[in-house]
Amino acid sequence: MFLSVFDIFKIGIGPSSSHTMGPMLAAARFLDALRAGTDRVPGSGAPARLEASLHGSLAFTGKGHATDRAVILGLLGFRPETLEPDEAERREATLRSSSRIEVPGLGPLDFDPETGVVFDYGPPLPGHANGLVLRAFDAAGDLHFAETYYSIGGGFVLTERELDDRGATSDATARPYPFATAAEMLAMGDAAGLGIAAMKRANEGADLDAGLDRIWQVMDECIDRGLAVDGTLPGGLKVRRRARAIHQALLAERGSNRAQPHAANEWLSVYAMAVNEENAAGGRIVTAPTNGAAGVVPAVIRYYRDHCVGATHEGIRDFLLTAAAVGGIIKTNASISGAEVGCQGEVGSAAAMAAAGFCAALGGTNAQIENAAEIALEHHLGMTCDPIRGLVQVPCIERNGLGAIKAVAAASLALRGDGTHVVPLDACIETMHQTGRDMSVKYKETSTGGLAVNLPGC
């Protein structure tokens, strides 16, 4: 399956791509399916009432990720990429007072936001750890239409049928460089005499640069917002925003003899933390490749632009294209979903993408880029996803900072070599996939193990 740079990097909102953006998109798609009316239950009347149920990780951490609110906003017709917060709050308030949704093309539908989203804490649905079912009933209470959706990570949503058919058809072979693995990517690059970014550019088609610039603009603005705001994050953990204070201290020390040699790590961390504090607050975000790992790639790009000798705007574009190529390989052959493989699939994948992009921007060869991605991913293997109270705050915010640091270190190591190394990136990706399959479900974004249960009071 061909994955565009704009599939890997999606503009949306926090706090979670799989638990917020995905369910919102699923609910909006459900309205589209209702309007089409092709799969309605024979003999049923017109739709009159809606309900939803959340399963697996969507149920266990749904409150912390605001999954119920995401479904509500999706049923109100909102989509993550175009949501306007003020309008969303106004429409939601109207729904909570009326328990009725006015759906264009369908008329008014009953929906109680207090009881209409059910958290099912039983076994997960068979297709994926992140499952939800949406149903419409007629005025007599008979089922009119139902659809099962899976939020498979990074804002990707598939119906049950689409999940079963995944991989059956593909437009990848229609691309000039249809690589699905790192080995194929390297072989095609050698044969064509092209870098990874150039091959990815050829695969994407026209009007690419404006889209890349828009992605970076949203990332950059997210960092700036996170560096400008302090206060306490929502959700009840009383986690204080730290990025602004750290940034102010770093600015004050810049150019003085008080700055330590390891200050580069602090700059990387503060950029990443700024993004993930914004994500935790429900701000505008870019999946990279997920929301929970959204700080790593922007932090390393910002570090490249503001701290590295010879940085260029074209280098940022090459960074994004190369990172997306690696992210697509990981998603195709393993997973970027914390609910499926743990945080190794989120921050680990983000670090591999950032290491590859940074190496490319600094002039690395294809072999060095593949080596950088492998180093970064290898040293995240086995990382669990155990967010406290299901919130994308602890350990997620700091973890992004450390992921950015590892990405730069991995690229630096790779650039000091010639690309020759023992473990191929494909083998590392498969190891991550196998490790995720073997990992206990309580460590895969269910908040039923690890840090989520070992902190007193949580």
Side-chain angles (χ1 to χ4, degrees):
M1 180 174 64
F2 172 71
L3 292 173
S4 167
V5 63
F6 305 115
D7 290 323
I8 299 297
F9 298 118
K10 297 186 184 75
I11 298 172
I13 60 166
S16 173
S17 50
S18 58
H19 291 64
T20 312
M21 289 172 57
M24 187 186 303
L25 180 60
R29 286 187 59 186
F30 182 72
L31 295 183
D32 292 340
L34 267 184
R35 277 185 282 261
T38 53
D39 291 326
R40 60 176 290 183
V41 175
S44 63
R49 179 175 63 86
L50 304 177
E51 71 173 36
S53 58
L54 307 176
H55 303 264
S57 180
L58 292 187
F60 282 102
T61 64
K63 289 294 184 183
H65 288 115
T67 305
D68 49 347
R69 182 172 187 263
V71 171
I72 291 168
L73 293 178
L75 291 176
L76 287 169
F78 290 101
R79 293 175 183 259
E81 66 273 19
T82 56
L83 183 141
E84 291 294 334
D86 291 342
E87 176 66 9
E89 287 187 14
R90 185 190 68 78
R91 296 266 310 279
E92 184 183 2
T94 300
L95 172 61
R96 291 190 181 280
S97 65
S98 67
S99 294
R100 177 160 288 198
I101 297 174
E102 296 289 338
V103 180
L106 292 171
L109 299 173
D110 292 335
F111 177 77
D112 185 343
E114 298 299 325
T115 62
V117 181
V118 177
F119 290 78
D120 187 324
Y121 298 108
L125 298 178
H128 192 275
N130 293 329
L132 65 158
V133 180
L134 290 142
R135 302 176 182 88
F137 300 88
D138 63 19
D142 296 323
L143 183 67
H144 170 82
F145 174 67
E147 185 65 271
T148 298
Y149 296 90
Y150 292 104
S151 181
I152 62 172
F156 290 87
V157 174
L158 298 174
T159 65
E160 193 166 41
R161 185 182 301 110
E162 290 167 345
L163 188 72
D164 291 340
D165 293 342
R166 185 168 51 164
T169 59
S170 172
D171 67 346
T173 55
R175 309 287 166 170
Y177 304 99
F179 54 82
T181 67
E184 291 174 352
M185 179 177 70
L186 292 176
M188 290 179 190
D190 287 344
L194 292 175
I196 294 168
M199 290 191 292
K200 186 66 174 168
R201 178 177 287 277
N203 284 343
E204 292 287 336
D207 302 322
L208 179 61
D209 286 342
L212 292 173
D213 293 347
R214 173 60 177 156
I215 291 296
W216 169 236
Q217 178 187 8
V218 175
M219 287 179 170
D220 198 29
E221 290 173 350
C222 185
I223 293 174
D224 287 340
R225 287 195 308 273
L227 295 177
V229 180
D230 52 21
T232 302
L233 294 171
L237 281 181
K238 300 181 180 178
V239 173
R240 292 190 58 80
R241 288 180 179 251
R242 290 178 288 165
R244 182 178 183 275
I246 295 172
H247 186 238
Q248 292 297 314
L250 288 171
L251 289 174
E253 293 171 4
R254 177 178 268 176
S256 74
N257 58 10
R258 292 180 294 144
Q260 296 287 351
H262 59 261
N265 289 342
E266 296 179 277
W267 284 102
L268 283 162
S269 293
V270 80
Y271 295 148
M273 290 172 65
V275 171
N276 285 86
E277 286 176 357
E278 277 296 292
N279 178 62
R284 179 73 61 195
I285 211 82
V286 176
T287 63
T290 66
N291 281 28
V296 179
V297 168
V300 179
I301 297 179
R302 182 72 163 254
Y303 177 77
Y304 164 75
R305 188 194 71 183
D306 291 358
H307 300 263
C308 292
V309 176
T312 65
H313 190 67
E314 195 58 38
I316 293 174
R317 291 170 175 169
D318 286 348
F319 189 124
L320 289 170
L321 288 167
T322 306
V326 169
I329 290 170
I330 294 172
K331 178 167 175 54
T332 297
N333 297 289
S335 175
I336 58 171
S337 168
E340 194 169 15
V341 295
C343 197
Q344 58 175 350
E346 297 207 23
V347 171
S349 296
M353 292 165 58
F358 188 55
C359 189
L362 293 180
T365 65
N366 288 352
Q368 289 171 322
I369 291 166
E370 186 262 359
N371 188 13
E374 189 280 326
I375 294 170
L377 183 60
E378 179 181 319
H379 298 290
H380 284 87
L381 290 177
M383 183 175 282
T384 60
C385 182
D386 50 355
I388 296 173
R389 287 192 184 174
L391 299 167
V392 192
Q393 297 178 18
V394 181
C396 318
I397 294 171
E398 288 179 356
R399 188 168 283 178
N400 275 257
L402 272 293
I405 292 169
K406 285 186 180 182
V408 169
S412 179
L413 279 173
L415 285 165
R416 294 295 183 184
D418 63 3
T420 302
H421 57 110
V422 174
V423 181
L425 176 58
D426 289 327
C428 191
I429 291 170
E430 176 56 25
T431 301
M432 187 260 278
H433 194 199
Q434 292 174 4
T435 303
R437 287 202 305 266
D438 293 341
M439 188 181 292
S440 170
V441 70
K442 68 182 181 180
Y443 299 119
K444 294 194 286 190
E445 209 166 1
T446 57
S447 292
T448 56
L451 287 174
V453 301
N454 286 311
L455 188 69
C458 290

